[in-house]
Structure formats: C-alpha cells, structure tokens
Amino acid sequence: MTKAIWLAGAAVCALLSSPAMAQTATGAGAPVADAARQGVLVFETAFFADARPDTALDMIARLPGFAFESGDSGTRGLAGTAGNVLIDGRRPSTKSDNLDQILRRISAAGVAHVELIRGGAPGIDMQGRSVVANVILIRTVTTERVVESNTYVYPDGHLGPVLSARWSRREGDDQIEGSISGFSDRTDGTGDGFRRRYDPAGNLIQDADLVLWDRIRNLRATGAVQRRVGGGLLRVNGLLGWFGNENSQDLLIRSGPGVDSFNDEESNDVNGELGVNWTRDLGPRTGLELTGLQRYSAEDYTGVSESSGDSSTFTADSTSGESIGRAIVRFRPNDRWSFETGGEVAYNFLDSATAYSENGVPIPLPSSAVKVEELRGEVFGQATWRPAPTLTIEGGLRVEVSEISQSGDSDLTKSFVYPKPRIQATWTPWSGHQFRFRAEREVGQLNFGDFIASADIDIGQVEGGNPDLEPEKSTVIEAIYERRFWGEGVFDVTVSHAEIEDVVDVIPLTGGFDGVGNIGDGTADFLQLRLTLPTDRLGIPNGRFQTRGSWSSTSVLDPVTGEERRFQGNQAFGCGVSFSQDLMGGRWSYGFDHGCNVDKGRGFRVREVRAFYEEPGVGAFVQWKPQGDLTVRVDLGNATDRAQGYDREIYTGPRDTAPLAFREVRRTRMSPWLFVQIRKTF
C-alpha cells in the first residue's frame, strides 16, 4: 500500500509539471465549462455513456473530484442538514429520506445533465458548501417501473434479502412517484472472536470466546407529488418506516477467573414524515421558496445482561418529533450580484423514560425520565459578488436563537443566541486551477440523548444524563486548491484550522457515573490530498484510479488528568485507494477499493481509555448489463475477513489517581459476503 501511495504521489508531481495538463479535453464526453456561469462544469449524458449508469446516484459517483455527502438527518432544523447534491437546483424537502436513496430512485434515463458548481452560481442554494452537484431532469414525458431483487450471501449459508419496487411518471414540472422497500440482514455485529484480559505487568489473566449475533429489519414506503399550484411549483412528499434490531453476545470463559455471561438487546423504531415545498418567481430576478416539514418517531429498547445467576436490565422508551417552517427570498439584480435572505423556525422534542435494575432491584440514574423541548429560530442573509469573471466572493450572516427546556427528573431552561458569520472566496486564475478560501463561525447542536441516561450493555457500562450542556462553537479557516486535467483528472488539497470552544466530551457525574459534558477549549487541524486519475493515457482505457490521504491533529485538556490529548475518537490518519474500469461500452465493469488506514482514534472515560481498532477493508465488484433495462452486479465485501474491536485500559478509580486494574483486548471477525443485485426496468 505504501508503494501505491508513492506511485500516486509521483504521478501527481509528474502531472503538475506537465505542460499537457494545461490542455482541457474537448471530446464528446468531456465536461464543458458554462460560459454564463463561472465555475460551473456541465456533464452531459455522453460523459457517462461508457459507464451506462442506472441511476442518478451512479452518475454522481462518476463526477471526478466530487465526494458525495448525503447530509445529516440527525441535525435539528433544515439549515446545515442537506447533502451536497441538488435536484433541479433545489434541495429535497425531506430529512428522513436519505439523499442517496432519493438519487437511487431517479433513473439515469431521466437525467438531462449534471452540473458541478464550484464557488456558487446565480440562483443556486449552495447549502453553505463550496462545491455542490446539481441534477437536471429531462422535461419530456417519462413513465418508469423498476424492480430490484437483491440479497447478501454469507459463507455459512445465511441470506439477507433486499427487495424494492418503484413507479414514477414525469411530464415537464409534473411528477408523481412511489416506492416500497424492505430488507432483513445482519451486520458486522455477527461474528466470532475473543476477549482477553491482562494484568498491569502484561500477564494473561483471563481468556474468553465471544459469539456475536444480530439481525436488522426494515420496511419503508415513500411517495411524492409535484404540480403547478398558485403560480408556483408545489412538491409534497411523505415517508413511513419501521426499523427493528436484535443482537446478542455470548461471553464464554476459557481460562482464568470469571463466569460466562449473556447479553441480549432489542429495539424497534417507527417513524413518519411529511414535507411540503413551494417555489415561485416573484419577478424576473426575484424568487420565493417556502418549506414545511413534520417528523415523528417512537422507539423502545430493552437490554438484558445475565451472568452466574445475576442479571441487569436497562429499558428506554422515547418519542420524538420535529416541526419546521422555512422561507427564503432570492434576488439577483444583475450578473455580478445576488442576494438571499430568509428565516426558519423549528420546534423539537424528545420525551424519554429509562430504567436500570440489578437482580430486579431498581438503581437510580441521573436524569432517567426527562422531556427535552427546543424552540429554535434562525434568520439569515447573504450576498454573492462577482467583481471579475475569475473571482467570486460570498458573505453571509446567520443568527440562531434557541431555548432548550427540560422537565421531569430535572427542570432547567437555557437560552442561546449565536451569530454565525461566513465569508468565502473562489478564485480561478487560470483554466483548470481554482482556489477556494473560507472563514466561518460554526455552532454545533446539543444531542438530546446526552440529557438522558443510556447504557452500553455488552461491556456493562451505564451513563447518566447531564442537563448542564453547552453547544460547541468553532472558528474555522479553510483553504482548498483544485487542479483539473485530462478531462476527468482532478487533484485537490484541503487545509483547515479550527479554534473550538466548549468541547463536548465525557466527564464524571454524581453517583459515580460518567456522562457527556463540556471540558474546555481545543484546536483542530486537518490536511487532505485527493487524486482522481483517468488511466486512458497510461494504456488502460476507460479506467479511473482514485486515492486519498488525510491527516488530523486535535488538542484539548483531559478533564480527568489535566493533560493534553486528542478529541474523542479523532483519527490521526486516513487513506483509501480504488480503481474501476468500464469494458465493451459499459456492458461490463469491474473495480476494487482498499481502505488502507487502521487507526480509529481513542475514547476517554473517567476510569478507562479505549483504543478503537479496525483492519483495512477490501472490496471488489463486477457488473454486467446484457441489455439496457437489466443490470446484474455482484459485490464482494470484507474480502480479507478483517478484525475489529478495541483495546481497553481499565483503572480501579479515576485514572489520574487510581492504579491500572487490567488491560482488555477485544477482537471479532465478520465473514466476507457477496451482494447480488438484479435491477429490471419496465
């Protein structure tokens, strides 16, 4: 793998110094710069022809130098939750329906072209990002029926079926679609392994086998209707889903003191969502967008641990909901200036009751029954200025106001007001070269679950809830250099620095429990290199090699020891390599990927330090398209049967004063698997 990284680095150096890089490919499949919108690359369907994509998601995956992000549905409100792909210039009016699922339901035959927008474009909501993709749909009448019958196949004969069906019809702006899907499968929570404990001197004191088992099941139905209403375009979408999870762990002592134990967990989640989006032009240069969203979810959880006649039980029942209203007005007086202003109001709640008992005797937990409510509002405005064809400057200000109240075991109300300024500049001094600079004040969100007690049954840990929390605040400075060459080739470098206040971490709580809290200020630095290299000029037609490497350095004072350390779970180094090639005009395709990093960061608790471990993942695929409406694909996952787990250092008390009790090493392996997909369009 080191050799591959060195070769990639050598290729970058050679390419950067090559005069040929100054030439932009102008073949039928090459992206075309939009003369009217600086920084916009247009990828026509001819660009994707050699790959024969089935869906819009397949097309997005082929965009050189673009890393797809589906967004964060767990973030409250709509601001900052969207992914980095738009559809006809708009964000989907949904949160529960993942962006990748939405794009997967759009047939490639229904896409007119895809735009890659770098640095902003008139009338485009960049979602606060420097780069977004915009999928433009065709306007002709299209009716489509798609059926997929897929399954995961494991060496022990277990099958994980995945079934889905979709119907859609488009005619100009009018659209209607519906889908239903379901699956039953297992995850890397099924596998065998070991747990070994060592005394402080390194002597083995206990050896135990681990047998893990899990099952996940899901049913989901979605629907959407889009029509011209009231002089504007109205879209209504809905979702209803159920997700169930069961898992168990057997711990079997082979040597040393201790007794066998058994853990069993089960959870069920029912969720629904209704979204409405309406856009209308108020004039030739002014537009209005209104969005409404309602979500509701109910979840129950039970975890039981048994050992030598002793038992402990943790239960949690919760309901949560979100109501959002959002309005945006956009104004573009000329080609050099554009303005946007608007506001959003959201109400969120989580009503949860937890209980913990040992041998049937209830054990009090901090904040075990709490209802958390939040009323939040945000007003925002931004301006985009193009002083020159090669330069775009975007400045904006968001002001967030929120009130979080808790009732139940703790009664507390907190109010927050946070201004969030942002400035970004995009400079394209020469063809194929672009620089992007960003300075922004970011404010994180408090996780409602941190206010309430929780449990990690498989290792016997219970966390108390903490009502006294502050959100993280960050001042971020970021710079990106992007070099495009050979039509599909891209090399980019990202450097960022962040000053972070009120870092959220784990702190000691009353009663001897750990919980989430603020531990002070910290810093974070990040460097990333990425290369997408088309291999046609290297003698491998229709091939694409991709590699990336990232380095992260974070620093904060440990709340227990007072010493400097990394953030929870911060990964110091990450990397990956992949290659794919299309053959016979896309009738056949194959590829592989390798995640070459092992370090997964460390977790810090009051009485424990945990180092996460995961061997690199290796996967491969082969795809066959015997005809335009039929695709057969086989993916090989976890090809090396990688091990994962963690190393724990357990102390007899707080780790700043108490001695080390023992070290624990846990490793499990999930078997390799095949994913067989058959997709038929009617």
Side-chain angles (χ1 to χ4, degrees):
M1 191 52 56
T2 302
K3 181 179 179 181
I5 295 174
W6 277 109
L7 287 174
V12 170
C13 294
L15 290 167
L16 288 175
S17 62
S18 171
M21 284 191 62
Q23 304 299 320
T24 302
T26 56
V32 178
D34 190 329
R37 298 182 297 171
Q38 179 68 31
V40 178
L41 295 178
V42 178
F43 294 82
E44 301 289 351
T45 54
F47 175 85
F48 307 97
D50 286 336
R52 293 195 184 184
D54 288 321
T55 69
L57 184 62
D58 296 335
M59 301 172 79
I60 292 297
R62 297 286 301 187
L63 294 178
F66 181 75
F68 172 71
E69 296 178 19
S70 62
D72 183 8
S73 62
T75 300
R76 300 185 297 280
L78 286 175
T81 66
N84 58 357
V85 177
L86 307 175
I87 300 172
D88 281 339
R90 298 185 297 274
R91 64 186 293 170
S93 55
T94 177
K95 288 178 64 177
S96 302
D97 199 7
N98 292 335
L99 182 57
D100 56 341
Q101 296 294 331
I102 295 172
L103 294 171
R104 189 173 282 116
R105 293 198 298 267
I106 299 175
S107 170
V111 177
H113 62 268
V114 180
E115 299 174 342
L116 189 60
I117 304 170
R118 303 169 298 148
I124 294 295
D125 180 4
M126 295 295 291
Q127 317 291 321
R129 301 175 183 270
S130 59
V131 178
V132 299
N134 186 21
V135 177
I136 305 299
L137 303 179
I138 63 174
R139 316 299 294 171
T140 56
V141 178
T142 303
T143 301
E144 188 175 58
R145 304 169 186 85
V146 179
V147 175
E148 291 192 44
S149 177
N150 312 322
T151 187
Y152 288 91
V153 182
Y154 299 91
D156 62 3
H158 177 76
L159 300 179
V162 182
L163 303 174
S164 65
R166 179 179 66 86
W167 177 87
S168 66
R169 188 178 191 278
R170 296 186 180 90
E171 182 178 359
D173 289 329
D174 291 348
Q175 300 177 19
I176 183 171
E177 65 175 57
S179 73
I180 186 169
S181 62
F183 70 79
S184 175
D185 193 23
R186 69 191 195 192
T187 72
D188 54 10
T190 292
D192 299 331
F194 63 83
R195 191 194 74 180
R196 294 170 184 158
R197 289 181 171 175
Y198 302 85
D199 65 19
N203 302 309
L204 180 66
I205 57 176
Q206 185 191 82
D207 189 6
D209 290 339
L210 283 172
V211 180
L212 307 181
W213 175 93
D214 79 329
R215 291 292 182 272
I216 55 174
R217 298 178 177 87
N218 176 265
L219 290 173
R220 173 172 287 201
T222 68
V225 177
Q226 182 172 287
R227 293 287 187 269
R228 282 283 170 185
V229 174
L233 188 62
L234 176 69
R235 184 176 180 87
V236 180
N237 53 264
L239 176 148
L240 183 63
W242 167 81
F243 180 79
N245 181 20
E246 300 175 72
N247 62 82
S248 65
Q249 171 187 283
D250 283 295
L251 180 70
L252 308 174
I253 305 297
R254 295 307 182 197
S255 65
V259 294
D260 297 346
S261 64
F262 173 78
N263 301 326
D264 182 76
E265 297 176 87
E266 181 177 356
S267 64
N268 291 277
D269 178 30
V270 177
N271 62 90
E273 179 183 279
L274 179 65
V276 179
N277 178 266
W278 184 67
T279 58
R280 179 180 177 178
D281 291 334
L282 302 179
R285 294 186 176 273
T286 307
L288 170 68
E289 179 177 356
L290 303 177
T291 303
L293 187 72
Q294 178 65 56
R295 296 204 300 171
Y296 181 83
S297 176
E299 182 178 6
D300 62 83
Y301 166 87
T302 301
V304 178
S305 178
E306 299 177 350
S307 177
S308 186
D310 294 326
S311 67
S312 60
T313 302
F314 184 89
T315 61
D317 295 287
S318 65
T319 57
S320 61
E322 181 173 38
S323 306
I324 304 174
R326 180 181 176 89
I328 303 174
V329 176
R330 299 184 177 94
F331 174 57
R332 184 188 170 202
N334 51 55
D335 293 338
R336 298 181 62 189
W337 286 93
S338 64
F339 300 91
E340 178 181 299
T341 186
E344 176 179 302
V345 61
Y347 168 75
N348 295 268
F349 77 89
L350 172 64
D351 193 351
S352 178
T354 60
Y356 178 65
S357 64
E358 294 181 354
N359 296 321
V361 179
I363 305 296
L365 297 175
S367 300
S368 61
V370 174
K371 183 174 183 179
V372 185
E373 298 176 277
E374 179 189 47
L375 182 62
R376 60 186 295 114
E378 184 175 88
V379 292
F380 53 87
Q382 73 175 38
T384 302
W385 177 40
R386 295 181 181 275
T390 59
L391 180 63
T392 301
I393 299 174
E394 175 190 305
L397 175 65
R398 296 175 179 269
V399 179
E400 174 188 323
V401 180
S402 65
E403 181 180 88
I404 298 179
S405 61
Q406 304 166 64
S407 58
D409 287 355
S410 60
D411 293 300
L412 183 66
T413 299
K414 284 192 172 185
S415 299
F416 305 101
V417 179
Y418 294 116
K420 296 180 287 186
R422 167 190 171 92
I423 186 168
Q424 177 174 292
T426 302
W427 181 41
T428 311
W430 314 284
S431 176
H433 297 264
Q434 187 175 85
F435 297 87
R436 297 189 290 270
F437 306 93
R438 176 176 68 97
E440 184 171 6
R441 179 68 168 174
E442 298 178 346
V443 179
Q445 286 192 354
L446 296 177
N447 184 346
F448 282 0
D450 294 336
F451 292 79
I452 302 163
S454 60
D456 197 348
I457 287 293
D458 64 338
I459 57 175
Q461 286 184 342
V462 177
E463 283 191 358
N466 181 15
D468 191 19
L469 286 169
E470 295 276 339
E472 285 187 355
K473 283 80 68 176
S474 306
T475 300
V476 181
I477 300 175
E478 179 184 73
I480 300 173
Y481 167 69
E482 177 186 275
R483 177 70 169 106
R484 291 187 172 266
F485 58 94
W486 292 1
E488 292 189 48
V490 183
F491 171 69
D492 62 51
V493 182
T494 301
V495 181
S496 69
H497 173 76
E499 298 284 339
I500 304 173
E501 305 165 24
D502 297 318
V503 174
V504 175
D505 208 289
V506 175
I507 62 173
L509 299 177
T510 57
F513 293 100
D514 292 352
V516 175
N518 302 105
I519 64 170
D521 301 341
T523 60
D525 296 290
F526 179 75
L527 168 65
Q528 178 177 266
L529 306 178
R530 296 189 305 173
L531 171 67
T532 298
L533 183 66
T535 60
D536 299 74
R537 300 194 185 190
L538 305 179
I540 305 174
N542 297 321
R544 183 168 62 168
F545 173 78
Q546 295 177 288
T547 185
R548 63 169 179 85
S550 62
W551 294 262
S552 176
S553 175
T554 58
S555 176
V556 69
L557 293 183
D558 189 286
V560 178
T561 66
E563 298 176 350
E564 186 177 328
R565 64 160 170 83
R566 289 181 173 273
F567 290 0
Q568 289 272 1
N570 176 238
Q571 182 175 303
F573 173 68
C575 61
V577 174
S578 67
F579 174 78
S580 62
Q581 185 181 19
D582 302 312
L583 305 172
M584 301 176 62
R587 286 176 60 87
W588 289 92
S589 301
Y590 73 95
F592 75 89
D593 62 86
H594 189 316
C596 51
N597 54 289
V598 176
D599 169 39
K600 293 297 179 183
R602 290 175 173 265
F604 300 88
R605 303 176 65 88
V606 176
R607 299 169 184 82
E608 174 188 340
V609 176
R610 187 183 309 180
F612 301 102
Y613 176 86
E614 186 175 291
E615 291 179 350
V618 177
F621 78 91
V622 60
Q623 183 171 277
W624 176 45
K625 297 189 176 183
Q627 51 196 46
D629 58 359
L630 179 63
T631 300
V632 180
R633 175 172 168 140
V634 178
D635 287 80
L636 171 62
N638 191 29
T640 57
D641 193 14
R642 62 179 176 175
Q644 60 182 6
Y646 43 74
D647 301 339
R648 302 172 68 196
E649 295 180 349
I650 311 296
Y651 294 80
T652 59
R655 51 190 166 82
D656 60 329
T657 57
L660 180 68
F662 60 87
R663 292 184 175 89
E664 179 180 288
V665 177
R666 177 187 173 113
R667 296 288 186 272
T668 58
R669 292 184 183 272
M670 176 193 178
S671 64
W673 45 263
L674 292 176
F675 186 43
V676 182
Q677 306 174 65
I678 301 175
R679 185 181 192 273
K680 175 67 175 176
T681 303
F682 300 91

